[in-house]
Amino acid sequence: MSKLKQLAFAVATLALTGTANAAFYTLGPVGVSGSAPLEVALPDGDPFFDSFSFSLLSGSSVQFGLTSFFWGASVADLPGFSFSLTGGSGAGTYLPNVVLADDLVSVGQVLSGLQAGQIYTLTISGTESADLGQSYSLQAAALAVPEPAGLGLLLGGLGLMALARRRHLGK
């Protein structure tokens, strides 16, 4: 996707959100070592609609993690988050996994079926509530692709264990 198309998408996104607060960020190429955490400010009690463009250096899956401070009593106090991906294979809307631990909330999603080198846009939307902190931190990391040799070693080891078990039961 060219820079002009990305800019057009960002402008269209802003126009469609009306009063929602929208921002567009570039994460750049994402590898297994991950991107640097990006701190994103949340509007005070308003809907937000943040878009992040990225590409994968390798593999076909990327894991996103969003962390924020949280002052609510339970997960029921959390605002609804959604992850939406555009840009080709793997596109769609995803409900994230939410983990609440002490005063931190972690929201994450693994997006698969992507192609290395292709530019994608991840949009995170929700509504900031009084229970959520002033900002969230976002980090992305490509998931490592397992090597065929490792799988072969695993299957060979399981085969040897099955053979040893069979010989042991035969005695």
Side-chain angles (χ1 to χ4, degrees):
M1 186 187 301
S2 70
K3 295 282 184 188
L4 183 59
K5 286 183 182 178
Q6 287 179 348
L7 181 61
F9 175 76
V11 170
T13 300
L14 284 171
L16 291 174
T17 56
T19 60
N21 291 292
F24 192 82
Y25 304 91
T26 301
L27 294 177
V30 175
V32 177
S33 60
S35 66
L38 180 64
E39 195 73 20
V40 179
L42 286 169
D44 192 21
D46 291 327
F48 61 92
F49 193 83
D50 299 324
S51 296
F52 305 86
S53 69
F54 69 96
S55 63
L56 285 179
L57 289 175
S58 64
S60 62
S61 298
V62 63
Q63 179 170 3
F64 282 92
L66 178 155
T67 307
S68 183
F69 285 104
F70 182 69
W71 295 290
S74 71
V75 176
D77 296 331
L78 276 173
F81 287 99
S82 72
F83 285 59
S84 178
L85 183 70
T86 57
S89 60
T93 300
Y94 303 86
L95 292 176
N97 303 316
V98 179
V99 176
L100 186 60
D102 295 325
D103 59 350
L104 287 177
V105 60
S106 296
V107 179
Q109 182 64 50
V110 173
L111 307 174
S112 2
L114 309 181
Q115 294 176 349
Q118 187 170 348
I119 296 176
Y120 293 93
T121 301
L122 173 73
T123 302
I124 301 174
S125 58
T127 302
E128 197 282 330
S129 69
D131 296 323
L132 200 56
Q134 302 296 318
S135 65
Y136 66 85
S137 177
L138 180 79
Q139 189 165 14
L143 299 180
V145 177
E147 294 291 329
L151 184 58
L153 284 172
L154 174 67
L155 292 175
L158 289 174
L160 286 174
M161 287 176 50
L163 181 62
R165 176 78 175 155
R166 188 173 185 188
R167 291 181 92 191
H168 176 71
L169 290 176
K171 289 185 178 184

